[in-house]
Amino acid sequence: MSSTPPVAGFNRALEGMRACAAVGVMVTHVAFQTGSVDGSWLGAVWGRFDMAVALFFALSGYLLWRPHSEAARDPHRKVPGTWRYLRHRVVRIWPAYVVVVVVVLSLLPDARPASFTVWIANLTLTQIYVPLTLTAGLTQMWSLSVEVSFYLALPLIAWLMLRLRGPAARWRIPVLVTTGVISLGWAWVADALPLEAGVEAKNWLPGHLPWFLCGLVLAELGTAEAGAAGMRGRIARLGRRRLLLAAIAVVAFALSCTELAGPTGLAPLEPWQFAIKMVLGVIIGFALIAPLTLNPGRSHRFLDSAPMQALGRWSYSIFLWHLVVLAWVFPLAGIVPFSGSMLVVFLLTLLLTIGVSAASYAWIEEPTRHWLRNSEARAALSVAPRDRAPGDQSNQPPRHVDREPRGEYDRQQSR
């Protein structure tokens, strides 16, 4: 008799992969600002490290959807309530982000003076909808704006999939894949929209939905019944072949460096190029993440290592701060922007960003997350006595509320 896999806890390999994604984003920005994206084949490679965003989106999709895929196959498992979920998303994303925005718009010369519209758009993560509000030091935040859109859409997606539970759960992957295929047409819709100059609708959630859905499909595959047959079983078995998938990821990345996925840089993409880029991002995301999620218990020496785990913990702050640090590296090192020296600038930016990010994690991210968990534990303590008989210890919150068992898992459910 088949059985549903147990609930997966903290996945160290995913933490290491998040570190790789953060460093990949840094590589492409350093390459642009040192003039290394110069039209050569190597410049195309450096410029296409922006595909690391596909990893970020697929990881978010997988981690945030996993409780829903588990609950669809086991009626005893519950998903977090919508308000709890949104509360955790806000506390996870906004505190550190707001600090970066204030620092950039107040202190970074290239971002000053910032108009009221720029301040509001960036503080609310709506800059991809407001013309000309992506500013120096914060241009990478377009992807965080898209991710927040996905956070808001996730409860709706879960509600629409609510009937596909129990035996009907086998239809969840076909529905998600079909949705992803349909969303590839968004590039043509985006080009037809009557928008103001400075707004790129391809960068809205519908355009990048396939990258998130890749993670949702991986979550469904990971929680499907053991020994699943048919296409689902074949895909799951493919996801366990690490060397084959690594080769597939390399080929997909190489194709993304060609005109098939459009030019690197700020040049606009044709709708067909954007659609191909999305498909290649899905392939890269699946090929790199599937071996980490469909091989429970298998070790991944590099990703599981202590340095990669540390970088993974700090990866969100690395993403937030690296452009600010990069802007400071040029004058500190006496290097003129767009004049080369990519290796020197990258190493300096990496080392300084790691230091800043470790401090940001310790002083902003961890304290706010602990505050939320302790607040929820105190609320549970105040309510629980009314729901228990005298002497009943069931469902009692942990004594040390800042060591909540699911804290590590909650930390991983984000960038």
Side-chain angles (χ1 to χ4, degrees):
M1 184 174 65
S2 61
S3 61
T4 303
V7 176
F10 183 77
N11 188 326
R12 292 176 61 85
L14 294 184
E15 192 84 324
M17 184 59 71
R18 199 197 316 276
C20 294
V23 174
V25 171
M26 184 187 302
V27 166
T28 199
H29 288 142
V30 171
F32 279 118
Q33 296 202 26
T34 55
S36 299
V37 184
D38 53 6
S40 65
W41 69 268
L42 185 57
V45 171
W46 296 135
R48 198 49 82 201
F49 267 77
D50 64 352
M51 296 297 275
V53 177
L55 284 178
F56 271 137
F57 287 176
L59 284 168
S60 287
Y62 171 79
L63 290 165
L64 294 174
W65 189 251
R66 190 168 62 186
H68 296 278
S69 62
E70 290 167 349
R73 292 167 175 83
D74 186 345
H76 300 293
R77 296 178 183 169
K78 298 185 182 299
V79 298
T82 300
W83 287 115
R84 182 183 186 276
Y85 157 77
L86 292 175
R87 186 167 62 245
H88 277 248
R89 292 297 86 213
V90 169
V91 171
R92 180 68 185 96
I93 293 298
W94 254 280
Y97 172 76
V98 167
V99 171
V100 175
V101 170
V102 172
V103 168
V104 169
L105 297 184
S106 300
L107 302 177
L108 194 66
D110 289 344
R112 300 174 58 207
S115 68
F116 178 77
T117 300
V118 169
W119 273 94
I120 295 300
N122 280 275
L123 287 172
T124 58
L125 275 167
T126 56
Q127 56 269 63
I128 60 174
Y129 311 107
V130 183
L132 306 176
T133 52
L134 284 169
T135 188
L138 298 172
T139 53
Q140 82 277 27
M141 303 303 185
W142 72 267
S143 64
L144 190 56
S145 182
V146 176
E147 188 154 339
V148 168
S149 300
F150 171 71
Y151 293 163
L152 295 175
L154 189 79
L156 175 61
I157 297 172
W159 180 77
L160 292 173
M161 299 276 283
L162 201 57
R163 291 183 178 273
L164 301 181
R165 302 169 66 87
R170 67 182 185 275
W171 292 104
R172 293 168 73 88
I173 292 177
V175 167
L176 292 172
V177 171
T178 301
T179 303
V181 172
I182 293 172
S183 68
L184 292 175
W186 174 255
W188 284 269
V189 175
D191 276 1
L193 295 176
L195 301 174
E196 297 182 58
V199 176
E200 178 51 85
K202 290 191 187 77
N203 285 339
W204 295 355
L205 176 60
H208 289 85
L209 192 58
W211 291 358
F212 289 104
L213 293 177
C214 172
L216 270 63
V217 169
L218 283 168
E220 294 292 336
L221 289 170
T223 53
E225 292 183 342
M231 181 61 71
R232 186 179 63 188
R234 287 193 290 272
I235 294 174
R237 287 190 289 274
L238 172 64
R240 300 185 181 101
R241 301 184 63 180
R242 292 201 287 185
L243 293 179
L244 175 61
L245 288 176
I248 291 174
V250 169
V251 171
F253 181 80
L255 290 174
S256 75
C257 298
T258 69
E259 286 298 315
L260 282 174
T264 53
L266 301 177
L269 277 63
E270 294 295 328
W272 65 270
Q273 292 174 320
F274 186 85
I276 289 176
K277 183 179 179 181
M278 292 302 105
V279 172
L280 293 173
V282 167
I283 295 172
I284 293 170
F286 181 90
L288 294 180
I289 299 174
L292 313 182
T293 61
L294 300 180
N295 284 293
R298 187 166 185 175
S299 64
H300 303 268
R301 183 175 300 177
F302 173 69
L303 296 176
D304 291 350
S305 65
M308 294 304 294
Q309 291 300 297
L311 291 176
R313 285 194 298 274
W314 305 330
S315 60
Y316 178 52
S317 285
I318 290 173
F319 170 82
L320 292 178
W321 286 103
H322 75 274
L323 276 186
V324 184
V325 174
L326 178 58
W328 289 334
V329 161
F330 286 108
L332 287 174
I335 298 174
V336 178
F338 304 101
S339 65
S341 305
M342 177 179 169
L343 180 59
V344 174
V345 173
F346 172 73
L347 291 176
L348 288 174
T349 303
L350 178 62
L351 293 174
L352 292 174
T353 300
I354 288 174
V356 172
S357 300
S360 178
Y361 178 82
W363 296 342
I364 304 173
E365 293 186 58
E366 275 292 89
T368 54
R369 195 157 50 248
H370 285 163
W371 169 83
L372 177 62
R373 289 204 300 267
N374 290 344
S375 296
E376 290 179 340
R378 284 193 296 270
L381 283 170
S382 66
V383 173
R386 293 196 296 270
D387 300 329
R388 297 198 303 267
D392 182 5
Q393 299 298 313
S394 61
N395 298 320
Q396 186 167 341
R399 179 176 297 177
H400 300 293
V401 293
D402 61 339
R403 300 289 293 173
E404 183 180 355
R406 289 182 61 86
E408 288 296 295
Y409 175 62
D410 289 341
R411 171 166 65 79
Q412 198 161 46
Q413 287 186 304
S414 63
R415 278 186 169 248

